[in-house]
Amino acid sequence: MELEEIYRRDLNLLVALRVLIEESSVSKAALRLNLSQSAMSRVLGRLRELLDDPLFTRQGQHLIPTQKALEIDRALGEPLESLRQLLSPSEFDPHLCTQTFTIATTDYAMQTILPFALPRIYQEAPNVSFNFLPLQHERLAEQLIYEGADLAIVDTLPIVITVPADLAYLVAERYDLVVKPLPFQFTPFDYSMIWHARCEHSPAQEWLRSIVKEECGRLIAKRIEDMG
C-alpha cells in the first residue's frame, strides 16, 4: 500500500482497536476515549469494514477478540509505542545523548574557547562527538545550510597586531611566558554563536549552545580577573 493510500485511512481506528482489546467492552472503551457508547459502536463498525473481519465476538458482557484482531494488535505494538514516545514531551538527558555535532569555528576559538568548554561537555554528555570545520566567513551560510554545520563560533578580532588575552594566557602557561596588559585603551571584541533555523528548537542543540555560552562567560571572567 502506498503512503498516499495510508494517508486516506483513519489510523485513529487502530488505536481504538487496541483500547477495545484492552477493555473487552464497548462502554469502557468509549469512556476511555471520551466517546459516547453509540459513537464507540460506530467506530467498531468502521474497524470491521476497514479490516474486513468481525474482530470481536461477544461472551456475556465481554468482547472476545478474533484471531485476526489479536494478530493486528500484536503487529501494532511496536509502532504504537514508538508513536507514543515520539508524541510525548520528554526532558533532554545529556548523559544519554549520542549525537555528533558539527561546529564551524576559527583557529582562535579552537585553541581557546573549545578546550575550555569541552571538559564540561564530556562530563555531562560522555557519548557525544564532534566534527570541526574551518569557519569560512564568506561561506558561513553555505556551511550552515548545505554542509551540515550545527553551530558556528565566530570571533570578530580587530585588525591590530596583538594577542587576545585568553590565547596569551594559554601560550604563557605552555611556554612559561609572562603576560602584560596593553599600555593603551583597547576596545573588546565579541564572540558570536550562529546556527541554522533547523537547530533552533533541538533540545541537544539548545543544551550545547548553553554550555558554550556559560563556559565562554567563565573564560572571559577568568581572564578579566587574571588581568586585574
Side-chain angles (χ1 to χ4, degrees):
M1 181 181 294
E2 299 295 331
L3 282 175
E4 295 82 0
E5 183 64 22
I6 294 174
Y7 175 76
R8 288 189 282 270
R9 305 295 178 93
D10 186 355
L11 298 184
N12 286 330
L13 293 173
L14 299 176
V15 177
L17 175 63
R18 166 63 63 89
V19 174
L20 281 163
I21 290 175
E22 290 178 351
E23 298 296 341
S24 302
S25 165
V26 170
S27 58
K28 290 180 181 179
L31 184 63
R32 187 167 157 187
L33 295 177
N34 198 28
L35 296 173
S36 66
Q37 186 165 339
S38 60
M40 194 70 224
S41 295
R42 288 194 294 273
V43 167
L44 178 54
R46 292 172 62 196
L47 268 168
R48 285 168 168 161
E49 181 179 352
L50 174 67
L51 300 173
D52 193 26
D53 188 83
L55 298 176
F56 297 93
T57 59
R58 184 171 294 280
Q59 183 174 330
Q61 297 297 314
H62 297 282
L63 294 177
I64 307 300
T66 63
Q67 184 62 35
K68 183 169 183 177
L70 292 173
E71 290 173 358
I72 293 172
D73 184 60
R74 281 193 294 269
L76 286 173
E78 186 173 332
L80 285 179
E81 184 56 33
S82 296
L83 279 173
R84 191 202 306 267
Q85 293 179 12
L86 181 66
L87 298 175
S88 298
S90 59
E91 293 187 2
F92 174 69
D93 185 351
H95 193 77
L96 300 178
C97 183
T98 58
Q99 187 166 335
T100 297
F101 298 98
T102 299
I103 298 180
T105 183
T106 60
D107 288 341
Y108 169 64
M110 178 73 81
Q111 295 181 62
T112 56
I113 300 171
L114 291 171
F116 201 81
L118 284 174
R120 180 179 168 190
I121 289 173
Y122 282 124
Q123 180 182 12
E124 293 190 15
N127 300 310
V128 300
S129 56
F130 291 90
N131 289 327
F132 295 104
L133 302 175
L135 188 142
Q136 302 174 41
H137 289 84
E138 71 282 358
R139 296 187 61 256
L140 180 55
E142 286 85 352
Q143 288 185 296
L144 292 169
I145 297 171
Y146 303 115
E147 297 178 18
D150 300 306
L151 182 66
I153 301 177
V154 182
D155 50 75
T156 54
L157 288 171
I159 304 175
V160 59
I161 304 174
T162 57
V163 178
D166 44 6
L167 182 56
Y169 277 97
L170 179 69
V171 175
E173 291 169 2
R174 185 175 300 169
Y175 297 105
D176 194 24
L177 302 176
V178 176
V179 178
K180 296 290 185 179
L182 292 171
F184 52 84
Q185 284 296 109
F186 185 74
T187 303
F189 61 89
D190 295 325
Y191 295 104
S192 300
M193 286 192 295
I194 303 172
W195 57 91
H196 192 269
R198 71 173 184 277
C199 302
E200 180 70 22
H201 301 295
S202 163
Q205 302 283 348
E206 289 177 341
W207 166 81
L208 178 64
R209 294 194 298 266
S210 70
I211 295 293
V212 172
K213 180 180 178 180
E214 289 174 17
E215 292 304 305
C216 186
R218 287 182 58 238
L219 175 61
I220 293 172
K222 184 177 186 300
R223 295 315 182 209
I224 292 173
E225 181 182 352
D226 290 341
M227 294 296 292

